[in-house]
Amino acid sequence: MTAASAPAGRTARHGRSARLVHTAAALRDLASGAGGPRGVVMTMGALHEGHATLIRAARARAGARGQVVVTVFVNPLQFGVGEDLDRYPRTLDADVALAAEAGADVVFAPSADEVYPGGEPQIRIAAGPMGTLLEGASRPGHFDGVLTVVAKLLHLTVPDIAFFGEKDAQQLAVITRMAADLNFPVEIVGVPTVREDDGLARSSRNRYLSRAERGTALALSAALFAARDRLAAEEALRVRAASAGHLVQDRSAALAALGEDRAAADARAVACAAAGPPHGPAVARAAARAVLRDAAELDPPLEVDYLALVDPTDFTEVPDAYEGEAVLAVAARVGTTRLIDNIHLVFGPPAPGAAGSGPECAATSPVHPVTTPQGPLGAPR
């Protein structure tokens, strides 16, 4: 069956079809798949491969007997004054086709009047302290709007499982907390970020970027990858240090006496890794900041809103002695387009017998530059 011959209200593509409904009553009339769970993927439309990945994850969990519902609703409550509500792309026909191809059974595309009958709701869900940090500080009230519409859509779609992208890490965290705190009978699932071939996180707002702006925007992912690679380099040094013991300190001194400065520096880095505690959070931040600092000098420049290394449970900044999982999050503007990205990092415990490091151990492992189409970023100065 082709799209042209599909029944009214249904779009078909490559053998798959999805029913398009606009009202809660029509959605209720569609029985959930017998014997399988209902999964929901909430979107604001302008679907891309990142959304398709969420839909495929929902299809996999729902199974052949379950049902996958994709919501398309541009929520006015989560846009602040001067933000791009009117500019946000609306591409419903293409969205339905992509959703169907990725495995959706139903696309629920309500109007604002359907979701908020009588106008903006007088009672909303407050995001609490987590909602005032990072994105919440930059966009006051944003997460209150997000949680209010997510709660509404959970009631309207009645899913067993709801899927959200990890690219919006803080959003995923506040939704997960809301579902737990308010006893929503739904499982919240995070799906890893989908990236373009050049590393840029997929976003509906990427279409706003000019070619030059896109080159600058690559600094967001470059900064995160620099932090990840710098942390991996430190961990590798610590592994070498654990096997080398105190002999490496003598080797460093001997090499320096022979004028072998580069080899001595390498040995000294291993010695410092053996002698001192891990510097993971500090070096991760430094590596990312170096890339962002250089991107601020590009044309067009990157205007950084925040770079934060946070505890994923409450999005508060972690200390330099932190151990465990953390989220390195960045937000920045290129031209008129604001973008966000993040990466998960894990920081290990101190090496056995670590006793602290002296000033000679500072910056023994340089931050290596990351190259974008506009040149290297993050080179040491």
Side-chain angles (χ1 to χ4, degrees):
M1 181 183 293
T2 66
S5 61
R10 183 177 292 272
T11 295
R13 188 175 180 185
H14 298 299
R16 288 192 176 276
S17 62
R19 185 176 294 278
L20 174 64
V21 298
H22 298 282
T23 67
L27 184 62
R28 284 193 297 270
D29 288 342
L30 297 176
S32 179
R38 172 183 273 189
V40 66
V41 176
M42 299 183 188
T43 83
M44 294 204 302
L47 303 190
H48 50 68
E49 180 58 27
H51 297 107
T53 299
L54 292 171
I55 297 166
R56 287 192 287 267
R59 180 80 272 162
R61 283 291 303 273
R65 300 178 65 188
Q67 188 180 73
V68 175
V69 177
V70 175
T71 69
V72 176
F73 178 64
V74 182
N75 177 33
L77 298 190
Q78 67 194 70
F79 288 81
V81 176
E83 293 189 334
D84 57 352
L85 173 61
D86 293 334
R87 183 185 174 207
Y88 200 87
R90 273 80 164 174
T91 56
L92 184 57
D93 289 344
D95 293 342
V96 174
L98 185 148
E101 187 172 0
D105 300 299
V106 182
V107 174
F108 177 46
S111 66
D113 288 339
E114 182 71 20
V115 177
Y116 302 122
E120 291 191 8
Q122 296 185 34
I123 296 176
R124 307 186 188 192
I125 295 179
M130 198 190 316
T132 66
L133 305 172
L134 302 185
E135 285 298 292
S138 298
R139 307 173 68 188
H142 169 71
F143 286 119
D144 295 351
V146 169
L147 293 185
T148 299
V149 76
V150 168
K152 295 269 288 185
L153 290 173
L154 286 175
H155 288 312
L156 292 171
T157 60
V158 197
D160 300 290
I161 317 165
F163 298 81
F164 297 89
E166 292 180 356
K167 184 182 80 70
D168 297 295
Q170 191 175 4
Q171 172 179 279
L172 174 60
V174 297
I175 291 171
T176 301
R177 188 61 182 262
M178 177 191 73
D181 286 356
L182 301 185
N183 297 104
F184 278 83
V186 63
E187 178 186 355
I188 304 299
V189 175
V191 178
T193 300
V194 177
R195 298 186 179 277
E196 307 278 2
D197 292 341
D198 57 12
L200 187 67
R202 286 189 180 268
S203 169
S204 300
R205 290 185 171 92
N206 289 352
R207 67 185 67 195
Y208 299 156
L209 299 170
S210 69
R211 183 173 182 178
E213 288 172 341
R214 185 184 177 90
T216 295
L218 292 177
L220 274 76
S221 56
L224 300 177
F225 298 156
R228 176 199 62 193
D229 295 345
R230 181 65 175 81
L231 178 61
E234 183 186 73
E235 291 300 312
L237 281 176
R238 293 178 65 217
V239 170
R240 290 176 61 190
S243 62
H246 294 292
L247 294 177
V248 73
Q249 298 180 12
D250 298 333
R251 181 170 179 267
S252 174
L255 288 167
L258 292 172
E260 298 288 343
D261 294 339
R262 185 165 185 171
D266 179 69
R268 185 168 62 254
V270 177
C272 288
H279 300 85
V283 299
R285 289 184 178 104
R289 285 171 181 155
V291 174
L292 298 177
R293 177 196 65 209
D294 285 359
E297 304 299 322
L298 297 177
D299 181 19
L302 187 76
E303 300 175 17
V304 177
D305 188 348
Y306 62 75
L307 174 74
L309 185 62
V310 299
D311 184 326
T313 63
D314 60 12
F315 270 68
T316 57
E317 284 274 1
V318 302
D320 287 345
Y322 181 80
E323 299 173 21
E325 185 176 354
V327 174
L328 183 61
V330 61
R333 190 176 298 276
V334 186
T336 60
T337 303
R338 187 175 183 275
L339 301 171
I340 62 173
D341 202 351
N342 71 84
I343 194 170
H344 285 253
L345 300 173
V346 178
F347 300 96
S357 57
E360 70 279 2
C361 288
T364 53
S365 297
V367 176
H368 296 289
V370 177
T371 299
T372 74
Q374 301 190 54
L377 300 176
R381 293 181 177 178

